[in-house]
Amino acid sequence: MTFEEMVQLAKERKFQMPEESSTTQLFKKGTHAIGKKLVEEAAESWMAANYESDENLALELSQVLYYVAVMMAEKNLSLDEVYEKL
């Protein structure tokens, strides 16, 4: 999955709000809950980089990217708006 596909998935989940989705619960709680999850995954990535395998690091980093996409969906930020800042 590309980052672009991940952003699209997050947007779809926000629109559809499937009850079985943990992402739906985050959307219901808003930016504070999404931000906490993003920070948690960033910290886990840092710890994985220092103490775990590259495979675990890749998993943690993929989760950081997902929650970035979720925050983008929550705040209605487009890829172009984010890419302009890179």
Side-chain angles (χ1 to χ4, degrees), residues 28-80:
K28 286 180 178 180
K29 293 176 183 174
T31 57
H32 184 78
I34 296 165
K36 282 177 65 175
K37 191 67 177 170
L38 182 54
V39 168
E40 173 190 328
E41 296 303 336
E44 289 175 1
S45 297
W46 170 38
M47 299 310 290
N50 281 310
Y51 303 110
E52 298 176 21
S53 68
D54 287 349
E55 182 178 345
N56 285 345
L57 174 58
L59 173 63
E60 296 299 340
L61 290 171
S62 73
Q63 293 172 354
V64 169
L65 291 175
Y66 179 71
Y67 291 110
V68 166
V70 170
M71 185 64 83
M72 288 172 62
E74 176 66 12
K75 300 302 291 182
N76 296 313
L77 282 177
S78 70
L79 279 167
D80 287 339

Side-chain angles (χ1 to χ4, degrees), residues 3-11 14 65 68-86:
F3 185 64
E4 288 80 4
E5 292 168 334
M6 197 175 286
V7 168
Q8 185 59 38
L9 175 64
K11 286 180 184 179
K14 184 172 185 198
L65 291 175
V68 166
V70 170
M71 185 64 83
M72 288 172 62
E74 176 66 12
K75 300 302 291 182
N76 296 313
L77 282 177
S78 70
L79 279 167
D80 287 339
E81 289 173 292
V82 174
Y83 286 167
E84 283 177 10
K85 304 300 180 186
L86 293 178

